[in-house]
Coordinates of all heavy atoms in Angstrom, one line a residue:
I20 N 25.3 -22.4 35.0 CA 23.9 -22.0 35.6 C 24.1 -20.9 36.5 O 25.0 -20.9 37.5 CB 23.4 -23.3 36.4 CG1 23.1 -24.4 35.5 CG2 22.1 -22.9 37.2 CD1 24.2 -25.3 35.2
H21 N 23.4 -19.8 36.3 CA 23.5 -18.6 37.1 C 22.5 -18.5 38.2 O 21.3 -18.5 38.0 CB 23.4 -17.4 36.2 CG 23.9 -16.1 36.8 ND1 25.2 -15.8 37.0 CD2 23.2 -15.1 37.5 CE1 25.3 -14.7 37.6 NE2 24.1 -14.2 37.9
I22 N 23.0 -18.5 39.4 CA 22.1 -18.4 40.6 C 22.4 -16.9 41.2 O 23.5 -16.7 41.7 CB 22.5 -19.4 41.7 CG1 22.7 -20.8 41.1 CG2 21.5 -19.3 42.9 CD1 21.4 -21.5 40.8
P23 N 21.4 -16.1 41.0 CA 21.7 -14.6 41.2 C 21.6 -14.1 42.7 O 21.9 -13.0 42.9 CB 20.6 -13.9 40.4 CG 19.5 -14.9 40.5 CD 20.0 -16.3 40.6
F24 N 21.3 -15.0 43.6 CA 21.1 -14.5 45.0 C 22.4 -14.3 45.8 O 23.2 -15.1 45.8 CB 20.1 -15.5 45.7 CG 18.9 -15.8 45.0 CD1 18.7 -17.0 44.4 CD2 17.9 -14.8 44.8 CE1 17.5 -17.2 43.6 CE2 16.8 -15.0 44.1 CZ 16.6 -16.3 43.5
C25 N 22.4 -13.2 46.6 CA 23.5 -13.0 47.5 C 22.9 -12.5 48.8 O 22.0 -11.7 48.8 CB 24.4 -11.9 46.9 SG 25.3 -12.4 45.5
A26 N 23.5 -12.9 49.9 CA 23.1 -12.5 51.2 C 23.4 -11.0 51.4 O 22.7 -10.3 52.2 CB 23.8 -13.3 52.3
R27 N 24.4 -10.5 50.7 CA 24.8 -9.1 50.8 C 25.4 -8.7 49.5 O 25.9 -9.5 48.8 CB 25.9 -9.1 51.9 CG 26.2 -7.7 52.4 CD 26.7 -8.0 53.9 NE 27.8 -7.2 54.2 CZ 28.4 -7.2 55.4 NH1 28.0 -8.0 56.3 NH2 29.4 -6.5 55.6
I28 N 25.2 -7.4 49.1 CA 25.8 -7.0 47.8 C 27.1 -6.3 48.1 O 27.2 -5.3 48.8 CB 24.8 -6.0 47.1 CG1 23.4 -6.7 46.9 CG2 25.4 -5.5 45.8 CD1 23.4 -7.9 46.0
C29 N 28.2 -6.8 47.4 CA 29.5 -6.3 47.6 C 29.6 -5.0 46.7 O 29.1 -5.1 45.5 CB 30.5 -7.3 47.2 SG 30.4 -8.9 48.1
P30 N 30.3 -4.0 47.2 CA 30.2 -2.7 46.5 C 31.0 -2.6 45.2 O 31.0 -1.6 44.4 CB 30.8 -1.7 47.5 CG 31.6 -2.6 48.4 CD 30.9 -3.9 48.5
Y31 N 31.8 -3.7 44.9 CA 32.6 -3.7 43.7 C 32.1 -4.6 42.6 O 32.6 -4.7 41.5 CB 34.1 -4.2 44.0 CG 34.1 -5.6 44.6 CD1 34.1 -6.7 43.9 CD2 34.0 -5.7 46.0 CE1 34.1 -7.9 44.4 CE2 33.9 -7.0 46.6 CZ 34.0 -8.1 45.8 OH 33.9 -9.3 46.3
C32 N 30.9 -5.3 42.9 CA 30.6 -6.4 42.1 C 29.7 -6.0 40.9 O 28.6 -5.3 41.1 CB 29.7 -7.4 42.9 SG 29.1 -8.7 42.0
A33 N 30.1 -6.4 39.7 CA 29.3 -6.0 38.5 C 28.5 -7.2 37.9 O 27.9 -7.0 36.8 CB 30.3 -5.4 37.4
F34 N 28.6 -8.3 38.6 CA 27.8 -9.5 38.1 C 26.3 -9.2 38.3 O 25.9 -8.4 39.2 CB 28.1 -10.7 38.8 CG 29.5 -11.2 38.6 CD1 30.4 -11.3 39.7 CD2 30.0 -11.5 37.4 CE1 31.7 -11.6 39.5 CE2 31.3 -11.9 37.1 CZ 32.2 -12.0 38.2
Y35 N 25.5 -9.8 37.5 CA 24.0 -9.7 37.8 C 23.7 -10.5 39.0 O 24.0 -11.7 39.1 CB 23.2 -10.2 36.6 CG 21.7 -10.3 37.1 CD1 21.0 -9.2 37.4 CD2 21.1 -11.6 37.3 CE1 19.7 -9.3 38.0 CE2 19.8 -11.7 37.8 CZ 19.1 -10.5 38.1 OH 17.9 -10.6 38.7
K36 N 23.2 -9.8 40.0 CA 22.8 -10.5 41.3 C 21.7 -9.7 42.0 O 21.4 -8.5 41.6 CB 24.0 -10.6 42.2 CG 24.5 -9.4 42.9 CD 25.3 -8.5 42.0 CE 25.6 -7.2 42.6 NZ 26.2 -6.3 41.6
D37 N 21.1 -10.2 43.0 CA 20.1 -9.5 43.8 C 20.1 -10.0 45.2 O 20.6 -11.1 45.4 CB 18.7 -9.8 43.1 CG 17.7 -8.6 43.3 OD1 17.9 -7.9 44.4 OD2 16.9 -8.4 42.5
L38 N 19.6 -9.3 46.1 CA 19.6 -9.7 47.5 C 18.7 -10.9 47.6 O 17.6 -11.0 47.0 CB 19.0 -8.6 48.4 CG 20.0 -7.6 49.0 CD1 19.2 -6.6 49.9 CD2 21.1 -8.3 49.8
L39 N 19.2 -11.8 48.4 CA 18.5 -13.1 48.7 C 17.0 -12.8 49.2 O 16.9 -12.1 50.2 CB 19.2 -14.0 49.6 CG 18.6 -15.3 50.1 CD1 18.5 -16.2 48.9 CD2 19.5 -15.9 51.2
D40 N 16.0 -13.4 48.5 CA 14.7 -13.2 48.9 C 14.1 -14.7 49.0 O 13.9 -15.3 48.0 CB 13.9 -12.4 47.9 CG 12.4 -12.3 48.3 OD1 11.9 -13.1 49.2 OD2 11.7 -11.5 47.7
R41 N 14.1 -15.2 50.2 CA 13.7 -16.6 50.3 C 12.3 -17.0 49.8 O 12.1 -18.1 49.5 CB 13.9 -17.1 51.8 CG 15.3 -17.0 52.3 CD 15.6 -18.1 53.3 NE 17.0 -17.9 53.8 CZ 18.0 -18.5 53.1 NH1 17.8 -19.3 52.1 NH2 19.3 -18.3 53.6
S42 N 11.5 -16.0 49.7 CA 10.1 -16.3 49.2 C 10.2 -16.5 47.6 O 9.2 -16.9 47.0 CB 9.2 -15.1 49.5 OG 9.5 -14.0 48.6
Q43 N 11.3 -16.2 47.0 CA 11.4 -16.4 45.5 C 12.2 -17.6 45.1 O 12.2 -17.9 43.9 CB 12.1 -15.1 45.0 CG 11.3 -13.8 45.2 CD 10.0 -13.8 44.4 OE1 10.0 -14.3 43.2 NE2 8.9 -13.3 45.0
T44 N 13.0 -18.1 46.0 CA 14.0 -19.1 45.5 C 13.4 -20.4 45.0 O 13.9 -21.0 44.0 CB 15.1 -19.4 46.6 OG1 14.4 -19.7 47.8 CG2 16.0 -18.2 46.8
A45 N 12.3 -20.9 45.6 CA 11.7 -22.1 45.2 C 11.2 -22.0 43.8 O 11.4 -22.9 42.9 CB 10.6 -22.6 46.1
R46 N 10.5 -20.9 43.5 CA 10.0 -20.6 42.2 C 11.1 -20.5 41.2 O 11.0 -21.0 40.0 CB 9.2 -19.3 42.2 CG 8.4 -19.0 41.0 CD 7.5 -17.8 41.2 NE 6.7 -17.5 40.0 CZ 7.0 -16.7 39.1 NH1 8.2 -16.0 39.2 NH2 6.3 -16.5 38.1
F47 N 12.2 -19.9 41.6 CA 13.4 -19.7 40.7 C 14.0 -21.1 40.3 O 14.3 -21.4 39.2 CB 14.4 -18.8 41.4 CG 15.7 -18.7 40.6 CD1 15.7 -17.9 39.5 CD2 16.8 -19.5 41.0 CE1 16.9 -17.8 38.7 CE2 17.9 -19.4 40.2 CZ 18.0 -18.6 39.1
C48 N 14.1 -22.0 41.3 CA 14.7 -23.3 41.0 C 13.8 -24.1 40.1 O 14.2 -24.8 39.2 CB 14.9 -24.1 42.3 SG 16.2 -23.3 43.4
E49 N 12.5 -24.0 40.3 CA 11.5 -24.6 39.4 C 11.7 -24.1 38.0 O 11.8 -24.9 37.0 CB 10.1 -24.3 39.9 CG 9.0 -24.8 39.0 CD 8.9 -26.3 39.0 OE1 9.0 -26.9 40.1 OE2 8.6 -26.9 37.9
A50 N 11.9 -22.8 37.8 CA 12.1 -22.2 36.5 C 13.4 -22.7 35.9 O 13.4 -23.0 34.7 CB 12.1 -20.7 36.6
L51 N 14.4 -22.8 36.6 CA 15.7 -23.3 36.1 C 15.6 -24.7 35.5 O 16.1 -24.9 34.4 CB 16.8 -23.3 37.2 CG 17.7 -22.2 37.4 CD1 18.7 -22.5 38.5 CD2 18.5 -21.8 36.1
L52 N 14.9 -25.6 36.2 CA 14.7 -26.9 35.7 C 13.8 -26.9 34.4 O 14.1 -27.7 33.5 CB 14.2 -27.9 36.7 CG 15.1 -28.2 37.9 CD1 14.5 -29.1 38.9 CD2 16.4 -28.7 37.4

Side-chain angles (χ1 to χ4, degrees):
I20 295 89
H21 193 78
I22 312 287
F24 306 109
C25 292
R27 194 150 137 180
I28 302 298
C29 306
Y31 57 88
C32 175
F34 297 118
Y35 168 65
K36 75 279 168 191
D37 209 331
L38 268 183
L39 176 64
D40 176 348
R41 293 210 182 273
S42 71
Q43 296 291 321
T44 48
R46 185 170 185 267
F47 174 78
C48 292
E49 175 68 40
L51 267 182
L52 291 182

